[in-house]
Amino acid sequence: MSGQGVGDRSEPSAGDGTAPGPGRIEGKVALITGAAAGIGRAIAQRFAAEGAFVVAGDIDAAGLASLAAELGEQRCVTRLCDVTVEEDVAALVRAAVDGFGRLDVAVANAGGGTAAELAEHDYASWRRVVDLCLNGAFLTVKHAGLAMRAQEGGGSIVNMASLNAVQAGRGMGAYCAAKAGVVALTEVAALELGPAGVRVNAVAPGLIRTQATSGMWHVPGVVEEYVENAPLGRFAEPEEVAAVVLFLASDEAGFVSGSVYGVDGGARTRRYPDLIGALERLSAGS
Ligand SMILES: NC(=O)c1ccc[n+]([C@@H]2O[C@H](COP(=O)([O-])OP(=O)(O)OC[C@H]3O[C@@H](n4cnc5c(N)ncnc54)[C@H](O)[C@@H]3O)[C@@H](O)[C@H]2O)c1
């Protein structure tokens, strides 16, 4: 068991959105960072549909308000939380523990990147990417881990890595380095927190259609190159990442820890699109 849940507060939920019955993380208390949009929002929606109580953090107040309205106050509490600020992350964990009595699942999802080659990379934007992707995940692991190891039943932490943790992308140095760091962080956390019953895993998505990647659809050739290089021949939607996060969060993954799950259509077996090259061709008009 990765967690006990707060089953007495839960109501029967529609696990698959249609049939009544217990969800796959029924009654568990699950924190998600960067939950207002994209992959984080899809995780929040799926977790709620599977019977969890969602504690959603983000810097986007309007996005959080719309998520709370969508999931309902019985299922979801939201907090403004900048994952690069330790007190914000600690307060998000407290919101779960004080509000629901425990924290079963934490998803360190907030992240984002830039597009600049290393020789021209401005140090401030490099630090912002590392701060958001890697330091934010560290703070989430630290505070969620402290809460989980202090409770009976442990818990499950899922960090959002990326295909770019293992596959270089031109102009993506800060992002690739930070996401590779998230993989290393995941392994060390699994090692340190395992004895307290806390499982720690990472998910490494390929190209997923969200606000963050919307620009890729405006540069001719980039999405086509990804699709050509993915053996499954397509990009994916946020819900497909949420499904894997759900598995790792659930007791079905009770003996899975220190692992990285790719959700990339097999793209890691080939090469990442040349975004900078495509931008150069676009500006040259060819
Ligand atoms: N979309 C993809 O193709 C893809 C691929 C691999 C990995 N990822 C990773 O998945 C995660 C989610 O990406 P997405 O595509 O859904 O992005 P997104 O931009 O659509 O959503 C990110 C969310 O994080 C929030 N956020 C930004 N900075 C924050 C901060 N400092 N503190 C808290 N919240 C913050 C944003 O407000 C937004 O709601 C990121 O870690 C990203 O690196 C995405």
Side-chain angles (χ1 to χ4, degrees):
M1 291 274 286
S2 66
Q4 304 276 301
V6 283
D8 55 340
R9 288 176 189 243
S10 78
E11 314 220 333
S13 75
D16 63 2
T18 53
R24 290 170 62 190
I25 49 173
E26 191 72 43
K28 289 190 189 289
V29 180
L31 170 161
I32 304 154
T33 67
I39 294 170
R41 190 175 182 112
I43 295 167
Q45 290 166 331
R46 186 71 198 272
F47 276 13
E50 296 285 351
F53 298 95
V54 171
V55 179
D58 205 293
I59 53 172
D60 173 3
L64 284 177
S66 91
L67 180 69
E70 181 188 336
L71 301 186
E73 61 183 31
Q74 300 290 336
R75 244 336 124 199
C76 175
V77 300
T78 63
R79 290 281 181 282
L80 275 175
C81 169
D82 180 340
V83 294
T84 69
V85 177
E86 181 159 14
E87 182 43 37
D88 280 14
V89 178
L92 191 66
V93 169
R94 274 200 306 275
V97 175
D98 294 351
F100 297 101
R102 58 185 290 114
L103 175 65
D104 299 298
V105 178
V107 185
N109 165 74
T114 49
E117 290 193 85
L118 294 173
E120 284 86 41
H121 215 301
D122 134 67
Y123 190 28
S125 67
W126 172 280
R127 279 194 295 216
R128 267 197 302 279
V129 173
V130 174
D131 219 14
L132 174 58
C133 292
L134 179 56
N135 299 342
F138 156 66
L139 291 174
T140 307
V141 166
K142 174 182 172 178
H143 288 280
L146 278 168
M148 288 174 179
R149 77 178 190 189
Q151 68 192 10
E152 197 186 329
S156 170
I157 298 173
V158 183
N159 293 325
M160 197 55 65
S162 167
L163 168 61
N164 295 116
V166 293
Q167 192 170 73
R170 190 176 161 203
M172 301 180 74
Y175 187 74
C176 290
K179 292 297 189 180
V182 169
V183 170
L185 169 76
T186 300
E187 292 180 354
V188 175
L191 182 65
E192 293 179 357
L193 293 170
V198 181
R199 297 183 295 106
V200 189
N201 293 287
V203 170
L207 180 57
I208 312 297
R209 184 162 50 186
T210 67
Q211 187 70 30
T213 53
S214 58
M216 293 213 188
W217 272 262
H218 298 297
V219 185
V222 176
V223 174
E224 291 82 350
E225 192 178 349
Y226 184 87
V227 167
E228 184 189 318
N229 279 307
L232 292 185
R234 64 180 181 88
F235 55 85
E237 304 295 337
E239 292 71 21
E240 299 181 81
V241 181
V244 178
V245 175
L246 171 67
F247 165 68
L248 292 170
S250 76
D251 292 345
E252 289 171 67
F255 200 49
V256 181
S257 196
S259 293
V260 182
Y261 277 63
V263 189
D264 62 9
R268 73 194 165 286
T269 61
R270 297 188 184 156
R271 68 170 197 276
Y272 203 72
D274 181 6
L275 175 61
I276 301 287
L279 282 167
E280 284 168 356
R281 284 193 296 280
L282 185 65
S283 63
S286 57

